[in-house]
Amino acid sequence: MSASAPFDAGTLRLPENLPPELLRQWQSAADDRERAQALTGMARFMRDSSMRAAQQLGEAALELAMQAGAPEEATLALVGLGFVAAHLNQPDRSQESVARATELIHEHGLSHLRSSVVNVRALTQMLIGDMNSARQDLQEALSTAQQEGDPGDIGNALVNLGWLANSAGDPGEALHQLNLLEEHIHTLSDADIIHDLNNYLHENRAAAYVLLARRARDRGRPEAAEQAARQGLMVLRAATASLRTHPSLTTEVLCHAHESALHLLLGNLSGAQQAADRAAAMNSDLDQQLYIEVPMCLAELHEAQGDPAAALADYHRALSIVRSQKRHRDTQVILRAMAALHERAGQYPQALQVLRDALQDTQDALERVNTAAQRHLSLAHDLQQARQDASSWQDRLRHAETQARQDPLTGLLNRRGLEEGLPALTGNGDALLAALFLDIDHFKRVNDRHSHAGGDRALQGVAQVLRAQLTRWPHALLARYGGEEFVLITPVTDAAQAHALAEACRRAVAAHDWTALLPGTNLTASVGYAVEPGERLPEALSQADEHLYRAKRAGRNRVYPPSD
């Protein structure tokens, strides 16, 4: 969408499962401002069944708000887009929405929306593993919401403080925040807010009791473990009653996963199996990959049933998802569970390797946190520059939108630009696509030896080398995926062609003369690739990322899988 081509609301395809009241609001809207409000409401409704649909509606709402010259509606659309991007594990995109919303709040005095923006920023901080910054943001969001007297924002901040505590493995703090949430709910009169918050309250309480029961079990306190597990099941009965009144597919899936874990802690394998089956069936209908509770409960169940191979397969499926999305916190949870499984099976070399992987992931996560901080400063600078270059806030947002698709260091696509270019490649679902992940080997040594400026030169140089390999691949998408990792997606005729491209990229990096950029240093790269039909591109990306890790573990400077 560009300033020269106004968005036509009449061409928008609305989801089929919208409630009548939202459709009536859309049909009765008198202007673009009211249409933007209607679309934001639709996007909020669609979050529970399809985050992708919610994102499309939110983008349309933002464009209509800009056409209408309505900064408050634009800010609300950006808040929603930031929330959806966080749940779709698009941290850069979420940060961009937050930065733009913050700019509008400052420019137009929309202080009553600040708590919502900070809340979304906290979710993004959690995804990249920066729990301290997330906690600070949520405390700020709570304080701001209390000053503004917004009951919904107060409740959301308390919900997320509880979720943060559970994610950090602190069930006691989670239950404290959830008790405060329950007290807050008792002061409310808006039925919709009450129902929403009650669902979150019960689900997060159940999660806390799962943690308490596991902790008691691991400390050799079976009576305390049983008591906590039974309390968790009581909470889930309250959750079931709440969900009948105000259904939420996402919350119900998580509750079934918690139920499976609690039954397993009580030794009830049949109850655990039934709950896990319900969670898995419902999760297949959800357009989200944020929550790992479902594959984790399946893994625990399979181990309890004496099938550690199936348990490891469950863990690897979850791991491929969270690794491809650079989710440090969840990666650590899964790797620790895998290491413990290997130890219980007496497979100590495998357990040690998994722990080494966990250490490497921690080092990578620290780099990503630093990159995210730099990204935040870059976004602020871009918005300041846009303020000088553009005459209106709408033009500034559109200018920032264009820049948001490009990695400022290498000039390649960033994750968002890659995501938005994919539909052109995946339109024909039967066509084969190759997904390649390329990672610069020992990149930390480059930074240590040549400073971060040298690291930046290395990234720019590798980007140029990879571009040069694509002269015969006119439809290829090349992006910097984060840190020192690049991704390339292109149509291919078969796996052999994909391997040849991966090997060409690897050889080009290894053969390049790096003397001028990095005196005394030679760069190499590891490449993982996978080939799938376009409709299975997410699976190809997950496989390629896992294959990259295998190339690293096999000694680096190689392609995986090797040619037949």
Side-chain angles (χ1 to χ4, degrees):
M1 299 174 188
S2 65
S4 60
F7 175 64
D8 180 5
T11 64
L12 182 66
R13 293 184 60 184
L14 299 178
E16 296 179 357
N17 59 334
L18 291 170
E21 60 270 21
L22 289 178
L23 287 173
R24 284 195 295 271
Q25 183 182 357
W26 168 256
Q27 292 162 354
S28 63
D31 53 29
D32 282 347
R33 178 176 173 276
E34 292 184 1
R35 278 187 279 272
Q37 292 173 340
L39 288 177
T40 298
M42 293 178 189
R44 190 177 299 113
F45 173 82
M46 290 302 300
R47 291 175 190 171
D48 195 46
S49 57
S50 174
M51 285 289 179
R52 299 287 179 184
Q55 193 168 60
Q56 293 170 359
L57 290 167
E59 289 170 348
L62 175 60
E63 188 64 27
L64 285 172
M66 288 192 290
Q67 287 179 186
E72 180 162 350
E73 282 68 26
T75 304
L76 288 170
L78 285 165
V79 169
L81 286 169
F83 178 91
V84 169
H87 283 72
L88 285 172
N89 300 293
Q90 300 167 351
D92 286 350
R93 196 164 182 176
S94 183
Q95 283 183 326
E96 291 155 9
S97 295
V98 166
R100 293 175 206 148
T102 302
E103 176 81 2
L104 289 180
I105 286 171
H106 288 322
E107 182 173 354
H108 298 278
L110 305 172
S111 60
H112 59 290
L113 300 179
R114 175 159 179 77
S115 177
S116 296
V117 173
V118 178
N119 226 324
V120 171
R121 188 172 68 197
L123 294 180
T124 306
Q125 300 286 10
M126 287 180 65
L127 282 179
I128 64 173
D130 191 353
M131 307 301 264
N132 288 331
S133 294
R135 187 175 293 105
Q136 292 172 6
D137 277 343
L138 289 175
Q139 292 291 356
E140 179 186 343
L142 178 59
S143 175
T144 302
Q146 289 170 335
Q147 292 172 11
E148 294 290 335
D150 189 308
D153 283 345
I154 293 172
N156 288 334
L158 290 170
V159 166
N160 287 329
L161 282 166
W163 183 33
L164 175 69
N166 275 333
S167 300
D170 189 351
E173 174 63 18
L175 290 173
H176 169 67
Q177 296 295 340
L178 295 170
N179 287 339
L180 295 177
L181 173 62
E182 187 173 35
E183 294 174 6
H184 173 65
I185 291 172
H186 289 323
T187 69
L188 302 178
S189 57
D190 188 308
D192 287 336
I193 295 178
I194 291 172
H195 291 315
D196 278 340
L197 294 180
N198 267 326
N199 282 344
Y200 293 134
L201 169 68
H202 299 316
E203 184 271 312
N204 278 281
R205 266 188 177 156
Y209 281 117
V210 171
L211 291 175
L212 284 171
R214 285 176 177 158
R215 180 178 296 177
R217 177 201 61 190
D218 295 342
R219 292 178 177 176
R221 299 173 57 199
E223 292 182 359
E226 180 179 350
Q227 181 182 5
R230 294 196 182 284
Q231 285 179 301
L233 290 175
M234 289 177 59
V235 169
L236 287 175
R237 284 195 284 272
T240 299
S242 179
L243 287 166
R244 286 197 196 101
T245 305
H246 199 73
S248 168
L249 185 59
T250 302
T251 304
E252 191 170 355
V253 167
L254 292 173
C255 285
H256 286 314
H258 300 327
E259 182 185 0
S260 178
L262 291 166
H263 280 306
L264 197 59
L265 285 159
L266 290 170
N268 180 3
L269 288 182
S270 63
Q273 181 74 66
Q274 291 173 12
D277 288 344
R278 287 194 294 269
M282 296 182 69
N283 194 52
S284 66
D285 295 331
L286 274 177
D287 179 20
Q288 65 85 26
Q289 292 185 319
L290 178 64
Y291 302 106
I292 62 170
E293 283 80 356
V294 174
M296 295 296 281
C297 81
L298 288 170
E300 292 174 345
L301 180 61
H302 282 136
E303 184 183 6
Q305 292 171 335
D307 192 350
L312 280 173
D314 291 326
Y315 285 135
H316 277 294
R317 277 191 290 272
L319 188 62
S320 66
I321 293 171
V322 300
R323 270 182 165 166
S324 69
Q325 297 162 350
K326 305 302 181 188
R327 286 158 52 187
H328 166 65
R329 173 178 60 84
D330 288 337
T331 300
Q332 292 291 308
V333 169
I334 298 168
L335 288 174
R336 285 197 297 269
M338 292 173 65
L341 176 60
H342 283 304
E343 286 183 15
R344 288 190 292 270
Q347 300 169 337
Y348 299 110
Q350 292 91 330
L352 180 59
Q353 182 58 56
V354 171
L355 291 173
R356 286 173 175 163
D357 288 348
L359 178 60
Q360 181 62 52
D361 176 76
T362 298
Q363 294 172 340
D364 294 343
L366 289 174
E367 288 286 336
R368 286 196 295 275
V369 169
N370 291 332
T371 299
Q374 295 170 1
R375 175 67 173 156
H376 180 73
L377 293 174
S378 175
L379 285 169
H381 177 268
D382 288 347
L383 286 168
Q384 290 175 358
Q385 185 64 46
R387 187 185 298 123
Q388 298 171 8
D389 295 343
S391 59
S392 69
W393 63 266
Q394 296 100 316
D395 289 341
R396 291 200 297 276
L397 282 184
R398 291 191 177 97
H399 179 72
E401 184 80 7
T402 300
Q403 297 224 322
R405 294 174 172 83
Q406 187 179 62
D407 173 51
L409 179 64
T410 64
L412 301 180
L413 296 173
N414 60 16
R415 283 199 190 193
R416 178 173 180 181
L418 178 68
E419 290 163 0
E420 295 185 358
L422 289 178
L425 293 184
T426 59
N428 179 0
D430 295 332
L432 284 180
L433 294 180
L436 283 68
F437 275 98
L438 180 145
D439 188 272
I440 301 174
D441 295 327
H442 302 299
F443 186 70
K444 186 176 184 299
R445 296 180 189 175
V446 178
N447 281 330
D448 291 343
R449 183 172 182 179
H450 298 281
S451 78
H452 283 285
D456 287 350
R457 292 195 300 272
L459 291 168
Q460 291 167 334
V462 170
Q464 292 175 1
V465 168
L466 295 178
R467 276 198 199 96
Q469 300 305 306
L470 299 181
T471 55
R472 296 186 296 106
W473 302 83
H475 302 295
L477 296 176
L478 176 62
R480 181 184 173 200
Y481 208 61
E484 65 273 22
E485 193 169 78
F486 299 83
V487 64
L488 194 163
I489 300 174
T490 185
V492 292
T493 56
D494 53 31
Q497 193 178 42
H499 176 85
L501 176 59
E503 186 62 33
C505 291
R506 183 200 66 79
R507 288 178 178 172
V509 173
H512 186 76
D513 183 2
W514 297 101
T515 305
L517 288 178
L518 305 166
T521 299
N522 291 318
L523 293 183
T524 62
S526 302
V527 186
Y529 73 93
V531 177
E532 293 284 353
E535 63 184 4
R536 288 179 52 82
L537 180 59
E539 289 83 354
L541 288 167
S542 294
Q543 291 173 23
D545 192 54
E546 177 61 27
H547 290 167
L548 172 62
Y549 276 84
R550 293 194 181 190
K552 292 280 190 183
R553 289 196 292 266
R556 296 183 170 83
N557 189 25
R558 64 194 62 214
V559 169
Y560 191 93
S563 60
D564 296 331

